[in-house]
Amino acid sequence: MGRAGRRSSAGPRRSKAAAEAILEAAEAVLAEVGYAGFTIEQVARRAGAGKPTIYRWWNGKPALLIEIYARQPLDLSDTDTGSLEGDLVAALARLLTFWRETPAGEAFTALLVEAQHDPAALEMLRAFLAERSFPFADLFDRAARRGELAADFDLAAGLDLVSGYVWARLLTRRLDNDAPSLSSAARQMARGCLRR
Amino acid sequence: MGRAGRRSSAGPRRSKAAAEAILEAAEAVLAEVGYAGFTIEQVARRAGAGKPTIYRWWNGKPALLIEIYARQPLDLSDTDTGSLEGDLVAALARLLTFWRETPAGEAFTALLVEAQHDPAALEMLRAFLAERSFPFADLFDRAARRGELAADFDLAAGLDLVSGYVWARLLTRRLDNDAPSLSSAARQMARGCLRR
């Protein structure tokens, strides 16, 4: 290994291929044993990497979980149905499927759990939620442009209700796309925001 | 100790005083170290009881957590303000205070966490939610009697939205009673249920 190689493995800069291998290993561990067995040790073993390398690049489990989440493809385009209610039905179904079918669901569950005993993880969870500005914000923007929203609509409350609803489904493992109950929930959420 | 005493300590029947001591020890452990340090071992040590006794009476952590939760006093009476929106504001504030100021908040957090890796805990969580028929069901009953609710109001969706909202606040440790954001959320929840 040449000088550059040595320097890169000792410095904060990542080797792209090694990082990718670690992320893939982390996804595999999550998928196979769930968050309870998800340790940096396990990930390192599976990736054939050293624990120090992982800690140098991610500084801990929460950061690794967030990167796993963020690299999964969540496509909420084509959810413009012409009304907030329709958009919510489409986007909720898309999000539940995303959590069910990619490592994102297990990664987010793990982050929620970590946040309950690790103050640093709680800070990262909050920053993550604020930064990503939860994808549903776009739906409310669209509704505002259509003139659907009540004058006193509060975006923060709207996002709290949507995210609470989907978190509760995640945590009780109801990620199936049961159209009738999604429709009822979306109808109530939308009506709560609309002009009367 | 007489015959009856021996039989009761060997059988499934609890000694009331010993059970009380164990529950109090469990509450103290939860309060001091949070759910991450909450183990039957810790509880037994603190109560001066044997682990087998605890397992005989509760069969595991989730059952113990549920009993801790259920024995805390949650009083939602006097939340009849004349409207669903007002009732929701009052009851949400009461519930957040309950979670913040009694061991119930930490116990419920612990139950949610356990349910993520223990299928038996998940079953108990679901049964607990169904059985207690979440105290907010009364609020919707009252609203129905007042004639406030839309004809297509769906109680399950209403309860999902309320519980999701409070769970999200619990899990992001926002149990402070911040009146403006509670009011906005309650307004949106209520409007979503009302006749138009």
Side-chain angles (χ1 to χ4, degrees):
Chain A
M1 195 189 269
R3 217 181 178 196
R6 273 210 315 281
R7 198 190 294 136
S8 110
S9 82
R13 215 177 330 143
R14 295 181 186 182
S15 142
K16 206 174 163 189
E20 179 65 30
I22 290 165
L23 287 164
E24 279 173 15
E27 291 176 7
V29 171
L30 264 184
E32 281 167 27
V33 299
Y35 93 87
F38 183 80
T39 61
I40 297 291
E41 175 111 33
Q42 280 273 2
V43 173
R45 192 175 314 144
R46 180 154 194 139
K51 275 170 66 177
T53 304
I54 299 181
Y55 279 110
R56 198 182 314 128
W57 291 343
W58 286 280
N59 99 32
K61 252 158 73 163
L64 187 53
L65 291 166
I66 285 173
E67 184 159 349
I68 291 171
Y69 191 100
R71 75 195 214 113
Q72 310 304 319
L74 170 59
D75 179 9
L76 289 183
S77 65
D78 302 323
T79 53
D80 187 348
T81 65
S83 75
L84 176 60
E85 182 176 333
D87 291 8
L88 279 170
V89 171
L92 289 172
R94 210 67 80 79
L95 182 63
L96 295 185
T97 303
F98 172 68
W99 280 349
R100 195 175 64 236
E101 296 188 351
T102 78
E106 201 64 36
F108 193 59
T109 301
L111 185 61
L112 285 175
V113 169
E114 288 292 309
Q116 302 316 304
H117 62 89
D118 174 3
L122 178 60
E123 280 316 300
M124 293 182 74
L125 169 65
R126 287 174 166 170
F128 176 67
L129 296 170
E131 256 172 45
R132 276 182 73 93
S133 113
F134 204 68
F136 284 81
D138 291 344
L139 271 66
F140 290 114
D141 281 351
R142 212 147 64 200
R145 286 197 300 273
R146 285 188 203 111
E148 285 188 283
L149 301 182
D152 61 359
F153 170 72
D154 176 343
L155 178 62
L159 292 175
D160 274 350
L161 290 183
V162 173
S163 57
Y165 176 74
V166 290
W167 292 18
R169 293 194 53 142
L170 179 68
L171 296 174
T172 52
R173 309 270 157 153
R174 290 182 295 142
L175 293 182
D176 50 306
N177 190 344
D178 56 335
S181 86
L182 272 190
S183 297
S184 288
R187 194 173 60 229
Q188 281 189 31
M189 280 187 237
R191 282 185 188 165
C193 308
L194 301 182
R195 284 167 34 162
R196 294 175 75 82
Chain B
M1 194 188 274
R3 220 181 178 197
R6 275 211 313 281
R7 201 191 290 137
S8 111
S9 82
R13 213 173 338 138
R14 295 179 184 182
S15 142
K16 207 174 161 191
E20 179 64 29
I22 290 164
L23 287 164
E24 279 172 16
E27 290 176 6
V29 171
L30 264 184
E32 281 166 28
V33 299
Y35 94 87
F38 183 80
T39 61
I40 297 291
E41 176 111 31
Q42 280 274 2
V43 173
R45 193 176 311 144
R46 180 155 195 138
K51 276 170 65 178
T53 305
I54 300 182
Y55 279 109
R56 200 182 312 128
W57 291 343
W58 286 280
N59 100 29
K61 251 158 72 166
L64 188 53
L65 291 166
I66 284 173
E67 185 159 348
I68 291 172
Y69 191 101
R71 77 196 213 112
Q72 310 304 319
L74 171 58
D75 179 10
L76 290 183
S77 65
D78 302 323
T79 52
D80 186 349
T81 65
S83 75
L84 177 59
E85 182 176 332
D87 290 9
L88 279 170
V89 171
L92 289 171
R94 209 69 80 79
L95 182 63
L96 295 185
T97 303
F98 172 69
W99 281 350
R100 195 175 64 234
E101 296 187 351
T102 79
E106 201 65 34
F108 193 59
T109 301
L111 185 62
L112 285 175
V113 169
E114 288 292 308
Q116 302 318 304
H117 61 90
D118 173 4
L122 178 59
E123 280 316 300
M124 293 183 74
L125 169 66
R126 287 174 167 169
F128 175 67
L129 296 171
E131 258 171 45
R132 276 183 74 91
S133 113
F134 204 68
F136 284 82
D138 291 345
L139 271 66
F140 291 115
D141 281 351
R142 213 145 64 199
R145 286 197 299 274
R146 285 189 203 111
E148 285 187 284
L149 301 182
D152 61 359
F153 169 72
D154 177 343
L155 179 62
L159 292 175
D160 274 350
L161 290 183
V162 173
S163 57
Y165 176 74
V166 289
W167 292 18
R169 293 195 52 143
L170 178 68
L171 296 174
T172 51
R173 309 271 158 152
R174 289 181 297 142
L175 292 182
D176 51 306
N177 190 345
D178 56 336
S181 85
L182 273 190
S183 297
S184 288
R187 192 172 62 228
Q188 281 189 30
M189 280 187 236
R191 281 184 188 166
C193 307
L194 301 181
R195 285 167 33 163
R196 296 175 74 84

